């Protein structure tokens, strides 16, 4: 009866019947204790299980090998390795099953050395290992990342005559795949006398793990041709392979297989679909699958959240996290670090600090990846001091990525000298810079106008660190020279590049031409860019701006006509400001905001005060052929001014105002914001498309160089 309850998953009834037996005259034996102990394991009831074991010992029925193995398995399941070993040591007679229980338990608990020590003891005791023994040892080799040891265990498999066992073969395939030895894995698979679906799934999964996507699909086709069926496990591996290479079409074909073959649509399979569609940018399909899932675990939520974040929907990702909390799903490290990146993208310091608190609460904040993400977030949210605090924490093990992140942060905030000082400190501590380090350094020099230092760094890359400059390094160097007005030198550098010039390099040159009004080189750069990508609206806009600043309105009209003819639109300028727990967006020229009247009143008052201090509008920033009055009116409707006015309206006097803008701050808005910071006696931080501007008492941290 007990066995019947157990087989039908009636675990509570199994325990209740056992209690009834103990209270009656029937008593119980080792078999009944074994059944109820398994029920306790299924219910994860450690205390009840210990009580069963105590009663078995008190009634002296614990000497049975069958029950002994169950007791070991019970303790191992709950991580009580000492109790399991005591039970094992006290057993008078131990068969291979008992030894396997101990060895397998150690392997599952990642006590690999203890597992091998016990295996040697088992051999010395004259007990011949079984296939299960060898499977556990093979799994231990995979866990230890021990290829040489794995080869020796493979040899022992052959010595003990287990070379034809399908379980052992499957374990060997899995081990070699995890250790990157896909050819060895395939050779084991090919010599298998009988292949199960599990074996096929393991080898296909192994190919996917080793990024051999096409090989995985070839093997799947062979499986289908053999007439063997496949299950959801097969499809999950193939969906993961499609996600690796963003192969949306193959993924959709696999999605169709799921329905045509009537496969078990479980949470793992649905999560793989959500992940695939998210990584392919197909958020509509990802949301469709996600919304129709009956059961969703933290991995599912995280896959959807990461998909939204990586496809530029940071606000939606944060909103989804709120729903996840409402459903009582506890976030994991990946969930939270994805939210950190969302907060960085939005420039939302309050939300970022809240996520940081969660990372601390759950014990994830000490991971080097998460700490590096926090440094990046605080830097992008305008609080470089917080980024420094995270970086300088003595408990923080810093790898080269962490140093790069802090150097990048200094660069964004116009603190090029600090970035260079940190680089020197990094070298003193014996850390070797990588390619990204020099991208960060050259970018920092570019934002601070440190031309000589940038030249020196560019030359030292190969001479001192054996790092050959790639396209990103050249783009940063061209940007450095172009921003500083060395347009001719930048053009010569591009011609000397050892490879074909990229869009990024010419965009940097074009931007410098716009800043320094070099029409001739600007036109050449734009023509080259359009020959590479005629559908990029940013190139047309930059070229149009060059013509507009030169007051060549006929050329401006021609460029805008080309854009209209090709269906291209200018990205609208907008600014974000966080007030309370909400982000507010303002678009240039907008007058539909609920607080529009109050915002206009504040801006009108500010305009009068600024003009009294000597402010004169710089209408050259208005790149439209309209009269002067319209130009001035247009300037005062720029998105950052609307956001600043809203901040003044809804935040306490004297408090800091943070603005995020998607485009570069124009010269007049930069001047106006300096004046506003002096008049209202507030610090104003503006993050534009290029960098951060800290406005305090009429001055900006960029020293008017951006």
């Amino acid at each position: 009866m007990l066995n019947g309850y157990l087989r039908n998953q009636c675990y509570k009834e199994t325990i209740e019947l056992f209690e009834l037996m103990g209270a009656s005259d029937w008593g119980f034996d080792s078999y009944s204790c074994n059944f109820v102990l398994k029920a306790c394991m299924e219910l994860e009831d450690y205390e009840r299980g210990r009580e069963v074991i105590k009663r078995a010992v008190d009634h002296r029925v614990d000497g049975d090998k069958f029950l002994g193995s169950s007791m070991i398995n019970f303790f191992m399941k709950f991580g009580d390795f000492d109790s399991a070993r005591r039970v094992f040591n006290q057993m008078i007679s131990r068969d291979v099953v008992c030894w396997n229980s101990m060895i397998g338990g150690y392997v599952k608990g990642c006590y690999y050395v203890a597992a091998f020590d016990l295996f040697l003891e088992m051999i010395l005791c004259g007990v011949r290992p079984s296939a299960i023994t060898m499977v556990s040892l093979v799994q231990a080799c995979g866990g230890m990342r021990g290829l040489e040891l794995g080869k020796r265990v493979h040899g022992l498999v052959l010595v003990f005559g287990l070379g034809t066992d399908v379980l052992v073969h499957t374990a060997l395939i899995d081990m070699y795949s995890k250790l990157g030895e896909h050819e060895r894995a395939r050779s084991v698979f090919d010599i298998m006398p009988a292949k199960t679906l599990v074996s096929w799934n393991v080898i296909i999964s192994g190919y996917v793990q080793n990024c051999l996507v096409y090989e995985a699909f070839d093997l799947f086709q062979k499986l289908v041709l053999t007439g063997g069926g496949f299950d959801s496990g097969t499809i999950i591996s193939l969906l993961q392979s499609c996600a690796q290479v963003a192969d949306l079409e193959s993924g959709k074909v696999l999605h169709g297989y799921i329905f045509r073959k009537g496969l078990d649509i479980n949470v793992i399979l649905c999560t793989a679909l959500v992940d695939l569609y998210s990584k392919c940018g197909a958020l509509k399909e990802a949301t469709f699958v996600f919304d129709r899932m009956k059961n969703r675990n933290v991995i599912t939520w995280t896959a959807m959240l990461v998909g939204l974040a990586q496809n530029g929907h940071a606000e939606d990702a944060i909103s989804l996290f709120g729903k996840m909390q409402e459903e009582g799903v506890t976030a994991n490290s990946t969930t939270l670090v994805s939210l950190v990146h969302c907060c960085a993208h939005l420039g939302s310091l309050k939300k970022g600090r809240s996520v940081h608190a969660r990372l601390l609460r759950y014990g994830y904040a000490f991971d080097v990846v998460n700490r590096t993400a926090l440094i990046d977030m605080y830097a992008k949210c305008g609080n470089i001091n917080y980024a420094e605090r995270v970086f300088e924490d003595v408990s923080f093990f810093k790898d080269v990525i962490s140093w790069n992140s802090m150097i990048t942060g200094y660069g964004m905030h116009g603190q090029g000298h600090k970035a260079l000082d940190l680089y020197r400190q990094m070298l003193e501590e014996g850390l070797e810079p990588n390619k990204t380090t020099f991208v960060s350094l050259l970018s920092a020099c570019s934002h601070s106008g440190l031309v000589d230092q940038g030249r020196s760094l560019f030359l030292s890359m190969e001479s001192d660190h054996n790092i050959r400059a790639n396209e990103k390094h050249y783009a940063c160097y061209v940007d450095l020279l172009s921003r500083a007005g060395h347009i001719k030198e930048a053009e010569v550098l591009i011609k000397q590049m050892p490879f074909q010039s990229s869009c990024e390099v010419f965009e940097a040159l074009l931007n410098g031409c716009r800043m320094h009004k070099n029409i001739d080189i600007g036109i050449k750069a734009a023509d080259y860019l359009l020959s590479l990508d005629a559908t990029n609206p940013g190139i047309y806009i930059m070229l149009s701006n060059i013509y507009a600043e030169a007051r060549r309105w006929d050329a401006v009209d021609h460029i805008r006509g080309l854009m209209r003819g090709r269906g291209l639109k200018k990205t609208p300028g907008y600014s974000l400001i966080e007030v309370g727990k909400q982000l507010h967006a303002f678009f240039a020229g907008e007058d539909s905001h609920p607080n529009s009247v109050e915002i206009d009143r504040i801006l009108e008052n500010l305009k009068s005060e600024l003009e009294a201090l000597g402010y004169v509008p710089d209408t050259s920033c208005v790149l439209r052929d309209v009269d002067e009055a319209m130009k001035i009116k247009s300037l005062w409707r720029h998105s950052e001014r609307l956001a600043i006015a809203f901040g003044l309206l809804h935040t306490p006097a004297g408090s800091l105002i943070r603005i995020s803008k998607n485009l570069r701050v124009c010269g007049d808005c930069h001047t106006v914001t300096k004046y506003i910071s002096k008049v209202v006696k507030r610090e104003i931080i503006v993050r534009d498309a290029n960098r951060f501007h800290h406005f305090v008492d009429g001055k900006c941290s960029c020293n008017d160089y951006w």
Side-chain angles (χ1 to χ4, degrees):
M1 193 68 182
L2 282 171
N3 193 21
Y5 275 138
L6 188 66
R7 286 182 177 178
N8 286 282
Q9 300 180 0
C10 301
Y11 305 124
K12 288 183 179 179
E13 289 82 353
T14 305
I15 294 170
E16 288 170 1
L17 183 59
F18 177 76
E19 294 294 341
L20 185 62
M21 289 170 64
S24 68
D25 295 332
W26 302 331
F28 54 84
D29 58 12
S30 61
Y31 288 99
S32 51
C33 288
N34 174 64
F35 295 141
V36 77
L37 203 55
K38 287 182 178 178
C40 292
M41 281 193 276
E42 292 294 338
L43 293 172
E44 298 190 350
D45 192 338
Y46 180 68
E47 293 305 321
R48 181 66 65 90
R50 281 187 66 92
E51 188 181 319
V52 171
I53 291 171
K54 184 177 182 301
R55 290 169 71 176
V57 172
D58 290 343
H59 287 76
R60 297 182 179 179
V61 298
D62 61 317
D64 181 78
K65 288 183 289 187
F66 191 54
L67 178 58
S69 293
S70 290
M71 290 163 64
I72 292 167
N73 289 334
F74 172 81
F75 283 124
M76 286 294 191
K77 176 182 173 65
F78 291 99
D80 191 348
F81 298 99
D82 292 338
S83 294
R85 189 60 190 256
R86 277 196 297 272
V87 171
F88 180 78
N89 289 341
Q90 290 168 5
M91 292 177 70
I92 299 169
S93 175
R94 294 180 293 216
D95 61 7
V96 70
V97 177
C98 300
W99 289 91
N100 287 347
S101 295
M102 278 301 302
I103 292 170
Y106 277 139
V107 172
K108 286 177 183 175
C110 300
Y111 287 85
Y112 304 124
V113 174
F116 275 99
D117 287 344
L118 197 63
F119 171 69
L120 292 174
E121 188 181 331
M122 172 184 174
I123 298 299
L124 292 172
C125 288
V127 179
R128 187 177 180 81
S130 68
I132 300 299
T133 320
M134 303 316 294
V135 166
S136 294
L137 295 178
V138 170
Q139 290 171 343
C141 295
M144 295 169 74
R145 311 294 300 170
L147 178 59
E148 291 306 314
L149 185 59
K151 290 177 184 177
R152 291 173 188 169
V153 172
H154 191 171
L156 287 175
V157 166
L158 301 175
V159 168
F160 289 116
L162 298 169
T164 59
D165 187 273
V166 68
L167 289 177
V168 177
H169 268 141
T170 304
L172 285 167
I173 294 166
D174 184 55
M175 177 195 73
Y176 283 129
S177 297
K178 285 177 178 175
L179 298 177
E181 294 285 320
H182 59 88
E183 290 181 0
R184 288 181 184 272
R186 182 58 185 266
S187 65
V188 173
F189 178 79
D190 287 340
I191 64 171
M192 286 181 73
K195 298 176 177 67
T196 64
L197 179 56
V198 175
S199 308
W200 282 94
N201 285 351
V202 168
I203 188 67
I204 290 171
S205 175
Y207 276 136
V208 174
Q209 288 171 36
N210 287 281
C211 301
L212 300 168
V213 174
Y214 301 109
E215 289 84 348
F217 270 93
D218 285 343
L219 208 57
F220 174 62
Q221 288 178 342
K222 287 180 181 178
L223 170 61
V224 174
L225 289 172
T226 62
F230 54 87
D231 61 7
S232 59
T234 324
I235 299 298
I236 287 166
S237 293
L238 294 171
L239 286 170
Q240 290 169 345
S241 72
C242 292
Q244 283 179 3
V245 295
D247 185 351
L248 181 60
E249 292 309 310
S250 296
K252 286 182 175 179
V253 170
L254 291 170
H255 197 169
Y257 274 159
I258 293 167
F259 291 103
R260 285 199 299 275
K261 299 294 182 180
L263 298 180
D264 176 31
I265 304 176
N266 54 44
V267 67
I268 302 173
L269 180 58
C270 288
T271 300
L273 283 167
V274 171
D275 184 59
L276 162 76
Y277 286 129
S278 296
K279 286 178 178 172
C280 292
L283 290 182
K284 184 178 178 182
E285 289 85 349
T287 305
F288 179 86
V289 175
F290 181 82
D291 288 344
R292 281 155 183 77
M293 289 178 67
K294 293 180 180 178
N295 298 306
R296 294 181 290 223
N297 58 22
V298 64
I299 301 171
T300 316
W301 284 93
T302 301
M304 191 68 237
L305 191 147
V306 170
L308 290 167
Q310 290 179 344
N311 286 282
H313 297 271
E315 285 188 82
D316 292 333
I318 291 174
S319 175
L320 186 72
F321 178 66
K323 294 177 183 176
M324 177 179 167
Q325 288 178 290
E326 288 171 10
E327 293 200 13
V329 181
T330 303
N332 62 20
S333 179
T334 306
T335 320
L336 294 174
V337 81
S338 299
L339 284 173
V340 171
H341 292 307
C342 289
C343 297
H345 176 76
L346 294 170
S348 177
L349 181 63
K350 288 181 181 177
K351 287 185 172 68
R353 292 180 68 177
S354 174
V355 178
H356 188 176
R358 288 179 183 275
L359 283 164
L360 287 167
R361 193 179 311 141
Y362 296 143
Y364 299 138
F366 305 101
D367 178 82
V368 64
V369 175
N370 295 348
R371 287 209 184 191
T372 302
L374 287 168
I375 292 167
D376 178 68
M377 181 271 292
Y378 281 123
K380 286 180 178 173
C381 288
N383 200 322
I384 195 67
N385 294 331
Y386 268 55
E388 282 179 334
R389 283 169 60 181
V390 175
F391 180 80
E392 291 170 358
D393 187 336
V394 292
S395 67
F396 179 23
F397 167 77
K398 295 181 275 289
D399 61 8
V400 67
I401 302 171
S402 309
W403 288 85
N404 291 348
S405 187
M406 194 66 231
I407 290 169
T408 302
Y410 281 136
M412 283 191 293
H413 287 264
Q415 298 180 13
H417 289 291
K418 277 194 172 185
L420 293 172
D421 288 343
L422 194 66
Y423 170 62
R424 285 188 281 269
Q425 184 185 336
M426 174 183 169
L427 294 179
E428 286 169 7
E429 296 202 10
L431 243 73
E432 189 63 30
N434 60 17
K435 290 182 178 182
T436 306
T437 313
F438 285 98
V439 170
S440 300
L441 286 167
L442 289 168
S443 179
C445 290
S446 178
H447 286 306
S448 298
L450 304 175
V451 178
D452 291 338
Q453 293 90 329
R455 281 198 189 101
S456 177
L457 282 166
F458 189 80
L459 294 172
S460 75
M461 280 174 56
E462 188 163 0
S463 61
D464 296 342
H465 302 285
N466 199 30
I467 296 174
R468 297 196 67 179
N470 60 25
E471 290 182 13
K472 280 193 173 295
H473 298 116
Y474 274 98
C476 288
Y477 193 19
V478 168
D479 187 56
L480 167 69
L481 295 172
S482 301
R483 281 178 187 274
H486 303 293
I487 305 295
K488 284 285 186 184
E489 185 181 347
E491 188 182 30
V492 170
L493 178 69
I494 292 172
K495 290 176 181 176
Q496 293 173 347
M497 283 172 59
F499 39 72
Q500 186 72 25
S501 303
S502 66
C503 287
E504 197 174 358
V505 170
F506 272 93
E507 282 174 9
L509 179 64
L510 183 59
N511 184 52
C513 291
R514 183 194 59 77
M515 290 172 66
H516 296 281
K517 300 178 175 57
N518 191 317
I519 298 175
D520 293 336
I521 296 178
I523 291 170
K524 285 194 287 185
D527 285 343
Y528 180 80
L529 283 166
L530 291 173
S531 71
L532 295 176
D533 182 7
T535 61
N536 184 347
I539 300 166
Y540 294 90
I541 295 300
M542 211 176 293
L543 183 57
S544 172
N545 290 347
I546 290 174
Y547 282 130
E549 286 174 349
R551 298 298 183 261
R552 289 178 54 177
W553 302 114
D554 55 336
V556 171
D557 290 340
H558 174 68
I559 296 297
R560 290 178 178 171
L562 286 176
M563 288 184 69
R564 284 192 297 271
R566 291 169 180 168
L568 303 175
K569 292 183 179 179
K570 178 183 177 181
T571 303
Y574 67 85
S575 294
L576 299 172
I577 180 170
E578 186 176 28
V579 175
K581 294 184 178 180
Q582 189 175 353
L583 278 169
H584 298 265
F586 291 89
F587 287 83
E590 182 182 50
D591 59 4
S592 59
H593 194 274
N595 296 117
S596 214
V597 174
E598 295 97 322
I599 288 170
D600 287 344
R601 186 176 65 249
I602 287 174
L603 288 175
E604 194 60 39
N605 292 337
L606 282 172
K607 183 181 175 187
S608 301
E609 291 188 67
L610 268 50
E611 287 173 346
L613 287 174
Y615 161 68
V616 177
D618 178 9
T619 54
S620 67
C621 297
V622 181
L623 305 177
R624 293 162 58 198
D625 189 16
V626 294
D627 62 40
E628 197 70 10
M630 281 297 295
K631 288 181 179 181
I632 293 172
K633 184 178 180 181
S634 171
L635 284 172
W636 280 95
R637 303 304 298 173
H638 280 194
S639 65
E640 58 266 55
R641 303 191 198 195
L642 300 174
I644 290 169
F646 182 81
L648 292 171
L649 188 66
H650 289 283
T651 58
S655 63
L656 187 150
I657 294 176
R658 297 178 192 276
I659 308 290
S660 294
K661 181 177 170 64
N662 69 323
L663 303 177
R664 182 180 182 270
V665 171
C666 78
D668 192 66
C669 283
H670 192 267
T671 301
V672 161
T673 310
K674 286 197 294 184
Y675 273 110
I676 293 174
S677 71
K678 188 177 183 68
V679 167
V680 301
K681 294 180 171 54
R682 295 217 209 178
E683 180 179 358
I684 301 171
I685 298 177
V686 177
R687 183 182 86 179
D688 72 2
N690 294 329
R691 56 170 300 152
F692 275 91
H693 301 267
H694 295 250
F695 299 93
V696 180
D697 195 28
K699 296 178 181 178
C700 180
S701 59
C702 76
N703 294 315
D704 299 337
Y705 185 90
W706 81 101

